Amino acid sequence: FYIDALLADKHRQEQTLRVPHHGLQSERFNAALAERNARMEGVGQPEWAHACDECEHILVPREGATDQTWKRLSACVMDGVTIGHPHCNKWRCTESLSNLHDRFCPSHSDLQYICAIDNCDNRVTPGFRTCGLPNHRHFETQKRQEGQAFLTLKRRLQKHAAAALRKKKKSTPRVKTSLTRKWTHNDQLLVRPCGVIIGRKAFFDSEGPANALAFLISTFPPHFPNSKPSYIFYDNNCNLLSHIFASGEKHLEGIGMPVHVFHASTKHSDTDDFCQRYCNPAAFPELYDPVTKEWKFNTSICEQTNVWYGKFLPVVREMTALHYNFFLDEMVVIYNDYKVKTLEKRGLKPRLIPVEELLAPR
């Protein structure tokens, strides 16, 4: 698979695939895989500059309006899907593991000798991943026993009888540990309303506004000012936009940032003044067609795409970061090829925006 995908990639680039003649077979292609992965980040997807009649609309000015300029409206939808690969337990560390079964990367390997309970700096006791403190040792022992069949069956037996009692008990704070391996938090996708995926990124520790903003800037970089869409739909746009205002970031100015139509009507409070003022889709009347009484863009496309993308979870869960990113980038390439052919059959004129137009000032 990897060799075939690399050859196809080099064919698109009109280049020759070159790998070492010596060394372990399992490592000979690693440099080529890493180079392709780096190129795929940001604007690397072949369909990154995609446009078609379903994800772009021409806004014709109303008769008698002061501004008679015709405007082209484009949109993108962002969402996360729960899927990931093992990574270092150190917060915000993105270094690859030397072995899939390690809890820490080479740079933080010394942390395996420190107690796995968060904020404890004691050395571990041989044979354990925690220190000698009774409550820390009890926590580790309890976690080990939870996987045993007896406790599993016992919990099932007591489940219904204890349900009412559990509701009355106060919830205990969650203990953060590095007892086991850690997986990346999610993959973030940017999808055109027609279904073409223009970007993906693995988020390591959270789907927070800072990570989302960095992903958007890398996908619509400053050196391609006209690559930015007219609108970016995201279910957490109110928090993202609040973060943008607080950080003073100016690159995304001029882009409308409404919440997904479904989320806006079901999951966002009517009393949230900031959300209603800046992120309510109804605040952008050009997005709604009063004649057909339908929204012009399919803002649920990411949820639909996530159903397909999430099916790769059991396939990639035990992959290295190198192979994980290469595999999913290649799946996106194949998926986009299929989508473009479908759009052609539907007469929606899929195309790539010329580089000269992307470089033009917005």
Side-chain angles (χ1 to χ4, degrees), residues 138-163:
H138 174 72
F139 185 86
E140 180 181 4
T141 304
Q142 189 179 39
K143 285 296 180 183
R144 289 184 178 185
Q145 291 177 345
E146 283 181 357
Q148 297 178 2
F150 174 75
L151 287 180
T152 302
L153 295 173
K154 188 176 180 180
R155 281 199 303 270
R156 290 178 181 175
L157 182 64
Q158 297 174 341
K159 181 178 179 180
H160 295 290

Side-chain angles (χ1 to χ4, degrees), residues 161-331:
L165 183 62
R166 284 200 302 270
K167 291 181 180 179
K168 296 180 181 179
K169 288 183 178 180
K170 293 183 179 180
S171 59
T172 56
R174 181 174 176 268
V175 179
K176 294 183 179 180
T177 75
S178 57
L179 284 170
T180 57
R181 292 184 296 163
K182 187 178 182 180
W183 272 258
T184 51
H185 186 271
N186 69 282
D187 270 22
Q188 202 79 352
L189 301 180
L190 270 168
V191 187
R192 292 291 185 184
C194 61
V196 170
I197 303 171
I198 65 169
R200 59 159 292 273
K201 179 73 173 179
F203 283 9
F204 275 69
D205 292 299
S206 71
E207 192 184 345
N211 287 336
L213 176 59
F215 178 45
L216 289 174
I217 293 176
S218 67
T219 308
F220 307 112
H223 57 276
F224 286 122
N226 220 25
S227 66
K228 294 185 291 185
S230 309
Y231 305 94
I232 296 175
F233 292 89
Y234 179 39
D235 56 9
N236 198 26
N237 254 346
C238 42
N239 288 329
L240 173 57
L241 197 57
S242 179
H243 171 75
I244 292 173
F245 287 170
S247 66
E249 175 59 54
K250 303 295 184 182
H251 177 59
L252 300 182
E253 277 188 347
I255 299 178
M257 302 191 71
V259 174
H260 294 169
V261 173
F262 172 76
H263 286 271
S265 59
T266 60
K267 299 185 178 182
H268 287 253
S269 173
D270 295 342
T271 60
D272 187 336
D273 180 69
F274 184 91
C275 183
Q276 295 302 322
R277 181 184 300 180
Y278 295 108
C279 302
N280 189 328
F284 306 89
E286 64 275 15
L287 295 176
Y288 186 75
D289 190 337
V291 177
T292 61
K293 297 184 179 180
E294 293 182 350
W295 296 95
K296 292 183 179 179
F297 296 110
N298 177 13
T299 61
S300 298
I301 190 63
C302 251
E303 281 84 354
Q304 298 163 12
T305 306
N306 286 352
V307 173
W308 165 80
Y309 195 86
K311 292 179 180 178
F312 292 112
L313 173 61
V315 179
V316 301
R317 182 173 172 79
E318 294 295 337
M319 284 186 178
T320 65
L322 179 71
H323 294 87
Y324 173 93
N325 287 309
F326 185 92
F327 178 85
L328 288 175
D329 281 336
E330 187 62 21
M331 291 299 102

Side-chain angles (χ1 to χ4, degrees), residues 43 45-53 55-57 72-76 192 194 196 198 219-220 224-230 340 349-362:
V43 302
Q45 275 291 336
E47 289 295 324
W48 168 75
H50 169 84
C52 70
D53 290 353
C55 56
E56 286 193 342
H57 292 276
R72 183 173 64 185
L73 303 181
S74 62
C76 216
R192 292 291 185 184
C194 61
V196 170
I198 65 169
T219 308
F220 307 112
F224 286 122
N226 220 25
S227 66
K228 294 185 291 185
S230 309
V340 168
K349 303 175 184 177
R351 53 199 178 272
L352 294 177
I353 302 173
V355 175
E356 296 78 14
E357 183 176 339
L358 296 171
L359 290 170
R362 188 176 173 83

Side-chain angles (χ1 to χ4, degrees), residues 20 104 112 193 217 303 333:
F104 296 98
Q112 64 184 309
I217 293 176
E303 281 84 354
V333 170

